[in-house]
Amino acid sequence: MAGHGIPEAYLDGYDRILAAAAATGRRLTRDELESRRALGERAAEAGLGLRALVGAHLSATRTHWPAAGDASTDRVLAAVEQAVDALAEGYERAQRLAVRQQEAARREFIDDLLHGRSDLGRLAERAERFGLRLSYEHAVAVAQGPCGYEEGDAVPREVESALVGRFGARSILLTTKEGRLVCIAPGDQGEVLAFFAKHAYAAIDGARVVIGRPQPGPGGVVQSYEEALNALDLAERLELDGPVLHAADLLVYPVLTRDRQAMADLVVHTLGPLRQARGGAQPLIDTLTAFFDAGCVAAEAARRLSLSVRALTYRLERIHRLTGANPADPVHRYTLQTAVIGARLLDWPDQPF
């Protein structure tokens, strides 16, 4: 064992290289430099520290310092510098390769986890390496901004740093997928996803964050993730207010669109007559949307549309005449509101059916 706990094998040939280079003042040959790089790589792969490795070589330099008169100090130090530099280069090269391999393994795991493409038993085993126990419930939060992000970008690093600083790294996985930020946490730790949502919203200008419901078992992560993605799509289509939404609060919308044909029939039957209006159906659908979003308070709806209350009332009366349904009547209101939601979900009338 050499000094600093480094085995002698990692200093193999160093004394001969030192003596030969110091005696003639020549630079280390290509083969000598490559041998140092190879030893540096082996040391990194074996888990030895670079500081200890350099320390062992400096100790060996003192031990094998050429006899007086055989070489000048400059020659010896020049040889040491070249040898240690090659050693460190090989060590760093091995570390970079290891990091790339770890990143590739992590990305492959994340892709399999979020898309359910792997055997669930094997997936659960791999998850343990990343601090996840897939036998428990997990929930997924997804943050989306106007531009996409990749791992290593400033925003994901900032959000991850805040998360780790507050909760530690265990049992939490933060990553990016298709330009979105994704946070996976145990289902009973809602405060983690709430914290993620808060910091993602603060870090991403114009962000919208959706938190999926906790789901059990190895397949729970992909279920919660897909639910969050669907909720993001709904929030965009319906232009829902609020930067942070919970998928559990939006469950009524998938129910409404489960029978697409029935919803399409309702939309055409209820709102189809609005196409006869000057300017088409869209302005009157926007009027109904604002009216319902304002809790059927005419003054608030008019403010949102930048209209006078009188102009809004005229539009509502026009809708009543064309459709036969009165937005102010509780009996008619539910049908109209459901049809308006369906039109927004189905992108009608821009997408006729």
Side-chain angles (χ1 to χ4, degrees), residues 220-239:
V221 170
V222 67
Q223 293 177 27
S224 185
Y225 174 64
E226 289 179 349
E227 187 176 67
L229 290 183
N230 290 334
L232 271 176
D233 181 62
L234 281 172
E236 184 175 349
R237 286 175 175 270
L238 297 176
E239 299 178 352

Side-chain angles (χ1 to χ4, degrees), residues 136-142 183-190 193 210-217 219-231 245-252 254-255 258:
Y136 300 159
E137 276 193 339
H138 283 83
V140 180
V142 180
C183 182
I184 304 168
D188 60 354
Q189 296 183 22
L193 297 182
V210 172
I211 300 176
R213 290 181 297 165
Q215 301 287 355
V221 170
V222 67
Q223 293 177 27
S224 185
Y225 174 64
E226 289 179 349
E227 187 176 67
L229 290 183
N230 290 334
L245 302 170
H246 290 78
D249 297 334
L250 307 178
L251 292 177
V252 65
V255 172
R258 189 160 294 164

